[in-house]
Amino acid sequence: MLLISVHFAGQLQVYAQDALYLVNNETTVRKISFKFPEGNSTFEPATLLPQLVTSAPTFWDRFNGLNPFRRKQAYPFNPIELQKDVVRLRQYYQRNGFPFPRVAYSASQYDAEENQIHVIFAVWEGEPQYLETIDVLATDSASIITQIPESLQSNWRKFSRSLSSNTGKRFTQVEQIRIQDLILKWFQNHGYAFARVEAQSQATGERQDIQLTYLVDAGPMGFFSSIEVQGNETVSNQVLLRELPFEIGERYSVTKLREGQQQLFGLNLFRVALADVPEQPEDSTVQVRLRVNEANRRYLSAETGYSRQEGLGLEGEWTHRNFLGSARNLSINLRANTGLLGNTTSFTANNVVGKLPARLFRTSVALRQPYLFTTRLSGIFAPFIEFQNDPQLAASNEFLDINRRELGLNATLIYEVLPFRPISIQYTLSQSLSRLDLSSLSTLSRDIYSKSVLAVSATFGKTDNYLNPRRGFLFKPVIETAGRLFSSGVQYNKVGFETTGYIPINRKLMLSGRLFGGKLWTFGNSREALSDRICIEDAALSGAVADRCLLYENRFDPIFFYAGGSNDVRGWDFQLLGPKIARADTSVVNGVVQTDANGNPEFNNFFYERTGGTSKLIGNLEARMRIPGFGPAWQGATFFDFGQVSNGAIRFSDFRYNVGAGLRYQTVVGFIRVDLAYKLNPTTADLTNPEDAFLFENGFSTTPPEEKFLRRFGLHISIGQAF
């Protein structure tokens, strides 16, 4: 029954028989709502709406409707479809364990003036069904264990006990199919390639609880007997067969067959890679078929992005998928962080050069060998050359203000324990050239030194989705040492770890957390020169002592730990949590420093330079949730971040904290993320303008810098989740 209600000072209700004269072909749907008179709702409206054909304007439709130049989308009302929607909702509840649901729309409201209807579904779920028992029998109703070899019976009993853990849960058809697939997979993983499983269910008792019975026809025990390859043109059979994790004569396993398919697709050679068992006589021999469709051997890719720190970024890559055969990949990569539109002003006028944003130009050639003695081990050899404008180094008058160069090669071994969980060993040997700005070593304008760095990293743990996880944890340790294998201008040991965890609270809310820590130790000449970085803190140091310290300080700028930014402690700008110094550029014309009427240098482009630290510990706690009234692509978040960067021991009393909220929108390239954070305990430097701080600290002003309330906020726009 359709109830049309119009509300005045009193209440007037028009029932279904009268409503038929009011609703017409021009009636549109204004809104769809759900009510649950029993007070409980297993499914949220966002889950129920996709079950309906009747639709209503979303929040964004109403927002776009304010645009006079945009045509409004119509949502026509169809009474027949509305009644079908009632049936669809009932069937949805029945499939999900509610055998006797009731659905009505009698509370719907009609607006005669606008000729619009607000459809209100009232849902009574009723008592749910529960899964009472699970039995697995042979097709003749005998115990299935009588058909399993004695060597597998212990394994079967363990698996059978795991099935019983599903009893007592709400029964759904999806759960029934899931358990059926688990049983079938067990048999197919233990040699029974042609096993079949049939499910039977029976409702008992007043609650209509379900007794599930699975009848298994195991068939013969099978062994891999032959492998047929189809579709390969330029890739040899040998390359394909070596990727398979099984050999002829082994007992059949569907998991190994699927792993082989994943290995083939992971070669990056094929558009399609399928491994299956074709139709054949059901006996102890199992024939396997590999079907592939080769992709273009050469392809070109390009992408672009933007960050406030590095401005507009461009990256292009040319790849040969099967270089010299054997599935080798040869890639030539060009990367440019141009600094254009970055957050630091860049200008050149009247020979006055302002501070430029961080720029990076890198070219690398990578040769990847996917098979080194085993399918799990691969190697990458990649020479590279890099040009950089590092804001922490002295200004340069070279093209694009390049002040750091590096030429070298990377050699990497990757052992894939499980998908997305590799262990890698990387060795980098390079030579670096940096522009210097030292007081006593005025004749030394360049610093040329070699780097020899060995790094080991790994990923452990498991999540339900490695691109957008909701459950699980990951642990990523990193160990790095420089100056051990060959002579190196930097000598250090560096360790770090990152732990992330994800816990779903319900369908709408998930908690996530991360803890990152790291420590850097120097040795040899590096330790003596840095002297625990006293040159940064002790103004009494001068001459050659200070220059030697600053020389190594420049070398370690890319190695120190930093904190702050869109993927770190979000109340602070990129790498600006922790030690920092107010800096400024002097105005120079034809090589002469410009001065004002008082004889003081003219400064421009004031900024805070982060100095980093040898210790770092940060943490993030984030609640991610759906937003009422928004579609499933939208997600909200609230978060709490904390962290510290130090040149000594980490002290909890020195931690910095922020709280914040964010908005995410799912796109084909990942989440577009906007986060606004509020600093809870900032330092004075965090709240003052770098210009005021620089002038006061260097004696050019007697006015102490004033703290600005707005500097408590940090706004970040980025792509992808924070962690």
Side-chain angles (χ1 to χ4, degrees):
M1 176 181 291
L2 176 63
L3 170 66
I4 309 299
S5 63
V6 184
H7 299 275
F8 300 98
Q11 291 185 342
L12 174 63
Q13 296 178 331
V14 183
Y15 289 88
Q17 60 269 28
D18 298 321
L20 295 177
Y21 295 100
L22 300 174
V23 176
N24 53 53
N25 292 335
E26 303 299 324
T27 303
T28 59
V29 180
R30 179 172 64 87
K31 186 178 180 181
I32 298 176
S33 301
F34 293 88
K35 290 185 176 181
F36 303 92
E38 293 176 329
N40 57 322
S41 57
T42 302
F43 305 108
E44 300 296 331
T47 303
L48 298 176
L49 281 172
Q51 316 305 321
L52 308 176
V53 171
T54 303
S55 59
T58 64
F59 170 84
W60 288 108
D61 290 328
R62 291 190 287 270
F63 179 79
N64 290 329
L66 301 176
N67 185 350
F69 301 102
R70 184 182 179 92
R71 184 178 179 180
K72 296 182 180 179
Q73 181 178 352
Y75 291 86
F77 173 68
N78 188 327
I80 295 177
E81 285 297 343
L82 180 65
Q83 296 176 47
K84 291 181 179 180
D85 283 336
V86 171
V87 177
R88 295 183 183 103
L89 287 174
R90 283 204 301 261
Q91 292 175 343
Y92 179 79
Y93 272 90
Q94 289 167 348
R95 291 195 303 270
N96 286 278
F98 295 91
F100 307 114
R102 289 192 298 125
V103 181
Y105 51 83
S106 56
S108 299
Q109 301 170 356
Y110 175 73
D111 185 338
E113 182 177 350
E114 298 290 337
N115 196 15
Q116 290 183 334
I117 187 169
H118 176 189
V119 178
I120 302 175
F121 290 100
V123 180
W124 292 263
E125 295 180 346
E127 290 295 325
Q129 291 174 308
Y130 293 96
L131 184 54
E132 187 174 11
T133 60
I134 301 175
D135 295 313
V136 183
L137 305 174
T139 52
D140 59 1
S141 298
S143 174
I144 189 62
I145 202 168
T146 60
Q147 298 189 10
I148 297 175
E150 186 175 351
S151 60
L152 295 177
Q153 288 182 5
S154 175
N155 190 299
W156 168 258
R157 291 189 181 95
K158 181 179 179 180
F159 171 74
S160 182
R161 287 193 296 270
S162 70
L163 291 181
S164 63
S165 65
N166 295 283
T167 58
K169 299 179 180 178
R170 177 166 53 84
F171 171 77
T172 67
Q173 292 182 2
V174 172
E175 184 71 4
Q176 174 180 312
I177 296 172
R178 187 186 70 84
I179 297 174
Q180 182 175 341
D181 288 343
L182 287 175
I183 296 172
L184 179 61
K185 185 177 179 180
W186 187 92
F187 279 92
Q188 291 180 335
N189 276 337
H190 291 83
Y192 299 96
F194 310 106
R196 296 180 180 84
V197 180
E198 177 186 349
Q200 297 179 352
S201 61
Q202 180 179 359
T204 62
E206 294 183 0
R207 294 195 314 181
Q208 295 292 288
D209 288 342
I210 298 297
Q211 296 177 343
L212 273 181
T213 302
Y214 293 95
L215 301 179
V216 179
D217 178 8
M221 175 77 73
F223 300 84
F224 292 110
S225 60
S226 64
I227 303 173
E228 179 187 4
V229 181
Q230 299 177 358
N232 55 321
E233 299 176 0
T234 63
V235 183
S236 67
N237 286 1
Q238 179 184 1
V239 169
L240 297 176
L241 296 178
R242 77 185 185 190
E243 296 297 321
L244 302 179
F246 57 85
E247 296 180 354
I248 301 299
E250 284 188 23
R251 189 169 62 190
Y252 175 81
S253 168
V254 68
T255 294
K256 287 187 176 182
L257 190 64
R258 292 171 181 170
E259 287 178 358
Q261 178 175 297
Q262 293 174 353
Q263 289 290 127
L264 291 176
F265 198 76
L267 290 175
N268 197 30
L269 295 173
F270 308 108
R271 292 189 182 93
V272 178
L274 300 174
D276 62 2
V277 176
E279 186 175 349
Q280 58 190 276
E282 297 183 4
D283 54 27
S284 61
T285 61
V286 181
Q287 303 169 17
V288 172
R289 177 177 58 189
L290 303 181
R291 291 178 290 173
V292 297
N293 184 357
E294 294 185 12
N296 293 331
R297 280 182 292 174
R298 301 172 183 84
Y299 73 95
L300 184 67
S301 63
E303 60 185 55
T304 184
Y306 173 79
S307 73
R308 292 194 305 158
Q309 292 75 33
E310 299 175 334
L312 182 66
L314 304 170
E315 186 168 359
E317 185 172 88
W318 177 88
T319 300
H320 191 300
R321 300 178 192 265
N322 194 23
F323 182 69
L324 299 179
S326 197
R328 296 183 188 91
N329 276 208
L330 177 67
S331 299
I332 300 176
N333 181 273
L334 302 175
R335 176 186 171 191
N337 297 334
T338 66
L340 295 175
L341 306 178
N343 65 346
T344 306
T345 305
S346 171
F347 62 91
T348 302
N350 300 322
N351 294 322
V352 179
V353 180
K355 192 75 173 182
L356 290 169
R359 281 176 166 165
L360 175 69
F361 302 92
R362 180 185 176 95
T363 300
S364 64
V365 179
L367 180 64
R368 177 180 179 270
Q369 174 61 54
Y371 183 93
L372 292 174
F373 311 109
T374 173
T375 58
R376 295 184 183 274
L377 184 64
S378 61
I380 301 174
F381 181 82
F384 67 91
I385 184 169
E386 185 174 287
F387 301 90
Q388 186 179 4
N389 170 41
D390 187 342
Q392 292 181 289
L393 292 179
S396 168
N397 56 4
E398 298 185 19
F399 179 65
L400 296 177
D401 295 271
I402 298 301
N403 56 15
R404 189 194 294 273
R405 301 182 183 89
E406 189 168 354
L407 173 68
L409 60 88
N410 290 322
T412 307
L413 290 176
I414 302 173
Y415 185 82
E416 192 169 280
V417 180
L418 290 170
F420 300 101
R421 281 166 281 180
I423 297 175
S424 67
I425 301 175
Q426 182 181 81
Y427 177 69
T428 302
L429 182 64
S430 65
Q431 187 175 71
S432 182
L433 183 153
S434 302
R435 181 180 176 88
L436 299 179
D437 184 15
L438 305 180
S439 57
S440 64
L441 302 180
S442 57
T443 59
L444 181 62
S445 61
R446 300 188 305 170
D447 177 28
I448 302 176
Y449 62 98
S450 62
K451 290 199 298 186
S452 171
V453 182
L454 178 66
V456 180
S457 61
T459 300
F460 304 101
K462 183 178 181 180
T463 63
D464 58 347
N465 185 320
Y466 286 92
L467 300 179
N468 184 27
R470 282 184 52 84
R471 182 190 300 274
F473 79 97
L474 294 174
F475 177 67
K476 301 177 182 179
V478 178
I479 301 174
E480 188 175 302
T481 184
R484 297 290 186 184
L485 298 183
F486 295 98
S487 175
S488 178
V490 288
Q491 303 89 27
Y492 65 88
N493 297 316
K494 188 177 183 180
V495 298
F497 72 90
E498 181 181 35
T499 300
T500 54
Y502 310 90
I503 303 174
I505 304 302
N506 53 43
R507 290 184 303 275
K508 296 194 301 181
L509 176 64
M510 181 195 70
L511 297 181
S512 57
R514 174 178 62 176
L515 186 67
F516 176 91
K519 180 66 178 177
L520 172 71
W521 298 272
T522 56
F523 62 88
N525 292 333
S526 296
R527 179 172 57 189
E528 296 172 3
L530 285 177
S531 301
D532 296 325
R533 306 190 69 190
I534 194 172
C535 58
I536 295 298
E537 302 170 1
D538 192 346
L541 289 178
S542 61
V545 176
D547 285 342
R548 179 175 172 80
C549 182
L550 288 173
L551 175 71
Y552 276 84
E553 179 74 22
N554 290 332
R555 293 182 181 184
F556 274 84
D557 280 342
I559 302 169
F560 289 131
F561 290 105
Y562 303 92
S566 61
N567 296 322
D568 205 274
V569 183
R570 284 162 279 190
W572 281 258
D573 282 344
F574 181 65
Q575 297 187 344
L576 282 181
L577 184 152
K580 49 185 169 286
I581 301 173
R583 299 287 196 193
D585 294 327
T586 54
S587 297
V588 180
V589 178
N590 297 325
V592 178
V593 176
Q594 300 300 290
T595 58
D596 58 19
N598 298 321
N600 296 323
E602 289 185 357
F603 298 104
N604 56 60
N605 190 51
F606 300 88
F607 61 97
Y608 279 115
E609 176 183 327
R610 78 280 196 276
T611 62
T614 57
S615 303
K616 176 179 178 179
L617 184 63
I618 70 159
N620 312 90
L621 293 173
E622 184 168 286
R624 301 171 184 170
M625 65 209 74
R626 294 180 183 175
I627 307 175
F630 287 66
W634 290 91
Q635 188 180 89
T638 59
F639 54 84
F640 171 74
D641 304 328
F642 63 89
Q644 181 189 168
V645 172
S646 171
N647 287 311
I650 295 294
R651 295 187 294 269
F652 291 102
S653 59
D654 293 335
F655 271 101
R656 302 297 161 192
Y657 305 93
N658 70 244
V659 295
L663 188 66
R664 293 94 168 87
Y665 180 74
Q666 178 80 62
T667 69
V668 293
V669 297
F671 281 98
I672 296 177
R673 176 164 55 94
V674 179
D675 286 330
L676 179 64
Y678 177 81
K679 303 179 184 71
L680 294 176
N681 61 337
T683 64
T684 299
D686 294 327
L687 299 181
T688 55
N689 290 324
E691 178 178 358
D692 297 338
F694 176 84
L695 296 177
F696 179 75
E697 291 170 2
N698 290 276
F700 298 109
S701 172
T702 58
T703 304
E706 180 183 354
E707 295 185 356
K708 306 291 186 180
F709 175 75
L710 288 180
R711 295 184 69 89
R712 282 184 173 266
F713 293 92
L715 178 65
H716 302 279
I717 302 175
S718 53
I719 295 178
Q721 296 283 25
F723 55 91

